[in-house]
Amino acid sequence: MAKIAVGLMIVFFLFAAWGMFEWTVNRIYVPVGQSLQLRYKGPPLPLPFLGAMPPATPGEFAQVDENGNAKQVGILEQMRGPGRHFYNPFWWERKLVDDVVVEKGEVAIATSKMGTPLPKGEFLVDGDLGETKYKGILRKVFGPGRYRVNPYAYEMNVIKTQIDVSGTQKKHTGWVEIETGYVGVVTNLTDNPLTGAKKGIQQDVFPPGIYPINPREQQIDIVEVGYREKSITANLQRDRNGDLLFDKSGEPMLTDDDSGIAFPSNDGFTIQMDFTAIWGIMPDQAPTVISKFGNVDSVETKVVVPQIESICRNQGSRLGAVDLLIGESRQKFQEETSHEFQNVLDDKDVTLLYGLVRHIYIPQEVRLPIQESFIADEKKLTREQQQITTRTEGLLVEETQKVELEGERVVAETDKLVEEALAEGEKTVGETEAETLKLVAAIDRQAAEIEAEATIVLGEAKATAEQMVAEAKADKFGLAVEAFGSGAAYNQWVFATGLPEDIDLQTIYAGEGTFWTDLKGMTETLLGKQVNESRPASKPSTTRTTGR
């Protein structure tokens, strides 16, 4: 028993020692936000029965069996997450690795340190973390999030928005945010075999949004789209309060400099003018703008402004100062200038909404005589119109009087016609009343004659009816007497038919003996009749007493 107890105590102490060693030496705690990288070192002492453990191929992870046990000396690909883990430090090299955290407004660029070199002419590695075959920068960009990355295989570089200024262009990479009203023009730095995109500026633009851009693959030019206004105006004189100054003809006064669009007319006068263009870049035009001009501001400085000045000067120098002042020729000049400017911008792949010649400043020595001539013509036309108005007013008064006279005449004629119509109506009414009385009298006479004839006919008919009734009665009695055979029989029939329908006849028959001997029976018979009469109404009955 003592040996068993000692054995149990030894076993207990061995388990306790192993547990203490496991929880103090082997145990390692991985906090949240970190991972555990393991490198298998092999047995700490050479043990012949275990055999030699081969090292892993340089640049590759150590191989493991199906249970996750290391088969080679080297770093394991799979890292352990937060929590408690038990690995013997004599057999394993344990290293805590921070997770790669990408915040909002940042992107991560991964570089593969394992695999074979890229083929000649290629710069980016396709695939995701843990799936790459070549060394180099990954094409895929990793947005905001937390990533558990084995630093033995990949290096993560977190960047924010990067802007590369080259001349007039600003190239955006990393975290690229395109606001509303803008588009992104994409420039590929290399071909993409996955999408088939080629190197260079792409025709498809990025709409407003957020894009993670790999600086080794693409660059983004953010281009404002829509319409914008550009005006070229002459400098005008102002007083101390900033109000415009005008000459005696009412035109604003220019400064001494040749501001605005200045050019000489074909008759030697200096002309100045204002021009306004409403132009813009549409989304489909943005790639062309970037490839030809670099940015939108260059379009304005290199195309819009020079073309406005050139076209206006060329068109205006062909005309004289008077032509630019008179309405029809001035209108034609404005239309031709706008049309030519439209054609130039179309060739440059720029959209023009309006191109307007706003004002043409003609020298006063040219403008005043022409204006005075126009004013004289207008005054002449005004006087002619006043004369026409006066004549028209006279005709109006004359016609008004005619209308009033005609109105009075119509009223008089109307009154006459009304009186004639009333007299004719009264005459017709009298004749109608007399004719009506005559017809009524004739009808009354006819009615009296008809009533007299009816009285005679009714009297004759009544007399005839009474005679026929008397004759019928006489014939009736004669026929009745003849039918009964004698007058006495007829009288008896008349008597019988005159009796009531509910008559009750009692026949008392007395046999042999005296009347008094049968009086008792008659009394009972009479009393029985009274009793029957006192009962509820029922069918009348007849009682006959017969005797021999």
Side-chain angles (χ1 to χ4, degrees):
M1 294 293 295
K3 292 181 179 181
I4 295 175
V6 172
L8 291 175
M9 291 181 63
I10 293 173
V11 172
F12 173 75
F13 281 113
L14 289 175
F15 274 106
W18 174 254
M20 184 178 295
F21 182 82
E22 184 77 3
W23 280 85
T24 56
V25 179
N26 293 344
R27 183 179 66 90
I28 181 171
Y29 179 75
V30 180
V32 176
Q34 291 183 327
S35 302
L36 179 63
Q37 184 190 55
L38 296 174
R39 176 180 175 274
Y40 184 65
K41 299 186 295 183
L45 297 175
L47 301 176
F49 62 89
L50 292 177
M53 184 71 69
T57 304
E60 295 183 3
F61 290 112
Q63 297 181 3
V64 296
D65 58 17
E66 58 184 8
N67 296 322
N69 299 320
K71 297 169 58 178
Q72 294 177 329
V73 175
I75 297 176
L76 271 62
E77 179 180 7
Q78 186 68 32
M79 296 196 302
R80 274 54 178 174
R84 288 190 297 269
H85 302 277
F86 299 90
Y87 290 95
N88 192 320
F90 299 105
W91 295 67
W92 296 91
E93 180 183 318
R94 306 172 300 181
K95 181 180 179 181
L96 293 178
V97 178
D98 293 333
D99 294 342
V100 178
V101 178
V102 182
E103 303 289 347
K104 178 184 177 182
E106 299 176 340
V107 296
I109 308 299
T111 302
S112 174
K113 299 189 292 184
M114 301 178 62
T116 59
L118 282 167
K120 186 178 180 179
E122 295 186 11
F123 304 96
L124 298 175
V125 177
D126 294 319
D128 206 339
L129 296 174
E131 301 175 356
T132 55
K133 299 179 181 180
Y134 300 98
K135 294 180 181 180
I137 297 175
L138 271 65
R139 188 186 304 274
K140 181 179 179 180
V141 180
F142 300 90
R146 182 181 295 274
Y147 301 90
R148 181 179 297 169
V149 181
N150 195 325
Y152 183 74
Y154 298 97
E155 179 183 350
M156 301 291 284
N157 182 22
V158 179
I159 62 174
K160 297 184 179 181
T161 302
Q162 295 182 343
I163 301 177
D164 182 16
V165 180
S166 176
T168 59
Q169 292 182 318
K170 293 182 179 180
K171 304 293 185 179
H172 297 74
T173 56
W175 179 273
V176 179
E177 184 173 355
I178 302 175
E179 298 181 352
T180 302
Y182 295 80
V183 295
V185 178
V186 183
T187 301
N188 284 351
L189 303 179
T190 181
D191 297 341
N192 189 336
L194 299 179
T195 60
K198 299 298 181 180
K199 180 179 178 180
I201 296 177
Q202 308 299 304
Q203 291 302 314
D204 294 332
V205 298
F206 285 166
I210 297 173
Y211 302 90
I213 302 300
N214 191 330
R216 295 296 300 273
E217 181 190 17
Q218 293 176 326
Q219 293 177 336
I220 306 299
D221 289 270
I222 299 178
V223 180
E224 182 180 6
V225 295
Y227 292 103
R228 54 181 63 194
E229 178 265 345
K230 179 60 181 177
S231 295
I232 302 176
T233 58
N235 296 328
L236 304 178
Q237 296 185 26
R238 298 179 182 271
D239 58 15
R240 295 180 179 179
N241 297 326
D243 297 330
L244 291 175
L245 297 178
F246 299 91
D247 58 20
K248 61 180 181 180
S249 64
E251 286 291 318
M253 300 174 62
L254 300 173
T255 59
D256 295 334
D257 59 339
D258 293 336
S259 57
I261 303 174
F263 58 90
S265 63
N266 64 359
D267 49 5
F269 292 98
T270 299
I271 307 297
Q272 292 174 263
M273 60 183 295
D274 298 339
F275 193 95
T276 295
I278 307 298
W279 66 279
I281 304 298
M282 301 297 105
D284 58 334
Q285 298 172 332
T288 304
V289 169
I290 296 301
S291 63
K292 290 183 177 180
F293 308 105
N295 56 26
V296 179
D297 294 336
S298 297
V299 177
E300 182 173 300
T301 57
K302 296 178 181 180
V303 178
V304 176
V305 174
Q307 290 299 328
I308 290 175
E309 295 177 349
S310 175
I311 293 172
C312 291
R313 289 192 179 102
N314 292 336
Q315 294 287 343
S317 298
R318 300 173 184 174
L319 303 175
V322 177
D323 296 329
L324 294 172
L325 180 64
I326 297 176
E328 293 183 359
S329 57
R330 179 191 180 109
Q331 179 68 25
K332 183 178 180 181
F333 163 73
Q334 292 174 332
E335 292 176 354
E336 291 178 351
T337 301
S338 299
H339 182 68
E340 185 174 351
F341 185 57
Q342 174 78 56
N343 294 335
V344 171
L345 292 192
D346 288 343
D347 293 338
K348 303 294 183 181
D349 204 13
V350 178
T351 300
L352 177 66
L353 185 61
Y354 295 110
L356 304 174
V357 178
R358 291 172 48 197
H359 196 86
I360 302 176
Y361 301 95
I362 307 298
Q364 187 173 357
E365 58 269 24
V366 178
R367 179 167 29 87
L368 283 179
I370 298 175
Q371 288 179 341
E372 290 175 356
S373 174
F374 277 112
I375 291 172
D377 292 339
E378 291 297 328
K379 288 182 177 179
K380 179 181 178 182
L381 293 174
T382 301
R383 287 193 296 270
E384 291 176 355
Q385 290 298 324
Q386 289 176 348
Q387 294 174 0
I388 295 173
T389 301
T390 302
R391 290 197 299 270
T392 304
E393 289 177 351
L395 293 174
L396 178 61
V397 172
E398 182 180 354
E399 293 299 326
T400 302
Q401 293 176 353
K402 289 181 179 180
V403 170
E404 292 177 353
L405 179 62
E406 186 67 20
E408 293 177 357
R409 187 183 65 79
V410 170
V411 171
E413 291 290 335
T414 303
D415 293 341
K416 179 180 178 181
L417 293 174
V418 170
E419 292 177 356
E420 291 178 354
L422 290 175
E424 185 69 22
E426 291 176 356
K427 176 181 177 182
T428 303
V429 169
E431 293 176 352
T432 303
E433 289 179 351
E435 189 69 23
T436 301
L437 293 175
K438 181 178 177 181
L439 293 174
V440 170
I443 292 171
D444 290 341
R445 182 176 59 82
Q446 293 178 359
E449 293 176 354
I450 292 172
E451 289 179 356
E453 292 179 359
T455 302
I456 295 171
V457 171
L458 288 175
E460 293 177 352
K462 185 175 180 181
T464 303
E466 291 177 354
Q467 179 181 357
M468 292 177 67
V469 169
E471 292 176 354
K473 287 182 178 180
D475 292 339
K476 176 182 177 182
F477 287 120
L479 293 173
V481 170
E482 185 180 353
F484 283 94
S486 65
Y490 174 73
N491 289 334
Q492 291 179 0
W493 176 80
V494 171
F495 174 76
T497 57
L499 293 176
E501 293 182 357
D502 57 349
I503 191 172
D504 187 8
L505 298 178
Q506 299 291 332
T507 304
I508 300 174
Y509 179 77
E512 296 179 0
T514 64
F515 174 73
W516 300 107
T517 58
D518 294 325
L519 184 59
K520 180 180 180 181
M522 183 181 64
T523 302
E524 294 176 352
T525 300
L526 293 174
L527 289 174
K529 178 181 178 182
Q530 293 177 357
V531 172
N532 291 334
E533 289 178 353
S534 64
R535 291 177 181 177
S538 60
K539 185 177 179 181
S541 61
T542 303
T543 304
R544 295 184 62 186
T545 303
T546 59
R548 295 181 182 179

